Amino acid sequence: IATDKLYSMEPSVERCKVSVEELWENFYSLNRDEGIAAMRDLADACPAGDGRAAFELAGMYDSMGFESEAGTEYEQALKLGLDKARHAQLAVQYGSTLRNLGRLDEAIAVLSAAPTHESTGSAPRVVLALALHSAGRKDEALRVAIEAQIETLPRYQRSMRNYAAALTAPAPSAD
């Protein structure tokens, strides 16, 4: 993507959005350096005052395997603020990144506090289950994973809620 063509006129937030969408559409044709450089150019040119440019750059770093760099950009995006959809997506992506970096307590905290939004569906809970599993909290992980899917079941919801709750319920005493 030729960012000089896209920004030959004064950049607008809408033009930035379209350029970012086009870059993601071409993601699989880019190598790591090209993807990072193109997104960095777009992020630098974006006039938005919120965290969306940092969010998109973080996503590119993440997708290209640069988790540490992604984490820094996710934190910047959070500081600058995001709309509800991007905030929910950031929680999933950043939580996953933290998990991959071995920062499990932070991942669990981010994912436990993740806002709900239709753009992420049950993904925050599924990634939370993965983080809990990585932290050795296997019963809690399974419970979260099951609970994340209960609303999609056409029936058996009550039973599944009960089975999931039993996974982490205290064991009955032998008195």
Side-chain angles (χ1 to χ4, degrees):
I1 293 186
T3 53
D4 57 321
K5 253 199 279 184
L6 294 169
Y7 292 106
S8 59
M9 301 177 284
E10 183 178 328
S12 72
V13 173
E14 185 58 33
R15 209 167 17 256
C16 289
K17 178 183 172 193
V18 169
S19 298
V20 166
E21 289 170 357
E22 289 175 356
L23 181 56
W24 281 115
E25 287 172 9
N26 293 306
F27 174 80
Y28 291 106
S29 68
L30 303 170
N31 69 37
R32 292 171 75 170
D33 293 334
E34 292 169 337
I36 297 296
M39 190 62 80
R40 176 155 301 286
D41 288 346
L42 291 174
D44 288 345
C46 184
D50 62 11
R52 73 185 90 177
F55 168 74
E56 294 295 347
L57 183 55
M60 184 61 73
Y61 275 129
D62 222 352
S63 296
M64 294 295 189
F66 295 101
E67 284 90 358
S68 293
E69 293 85 347
T72 301
E73 294 298 327
Y74 285 134
E75 290 165 11
Q76 179 66 15
L78 284 171
K79 280 184 210 167
L80 294 171
L82 293 166
D83 61 31
K84 290 179 182 182
R86 284 185 186 91
H87 188 207
Q89 293 163 19
L90 180 140
V92 173
Q93 293 170 210
Y94 187 35
S96 176
T97 295
L98 291 168
R99 176 182 169 264
N100 291 340
L101 291 171
R103 294 164 54 186
L104 301 176
D105 291 339
E106 292 172 79
I108 291 166
V110 166
L111 293 160
S112 295
T116 57
H117 193 270
E118 63 188 23
S119 68
T120 57
S122 62
R125 306 287 291 157
V126 172
V127 179
L128 173 59
L130 291 168
L132 289 165
H133 186 273
S134 294
R137 295 162 58 179
K138 310 236 186 284
D139 289 343
E140 190 176 354
L142 181 55
R143 177 181 178 165
V144 169
I146 291 169
E147 289 174 344
Q149 300 306 312
I150 287 175
E151 295 305 316
T152 67
L153 300 174
R155 49 181 58 176
Y156 312 113
Q157 291 178 356
R158 184 176 57 83
S159 296
M160 293 305 120
R161 271 191 194 86
N162 291 336
Y163 293 148
L167 288 168
T168 56
S173 63
D175 294 338

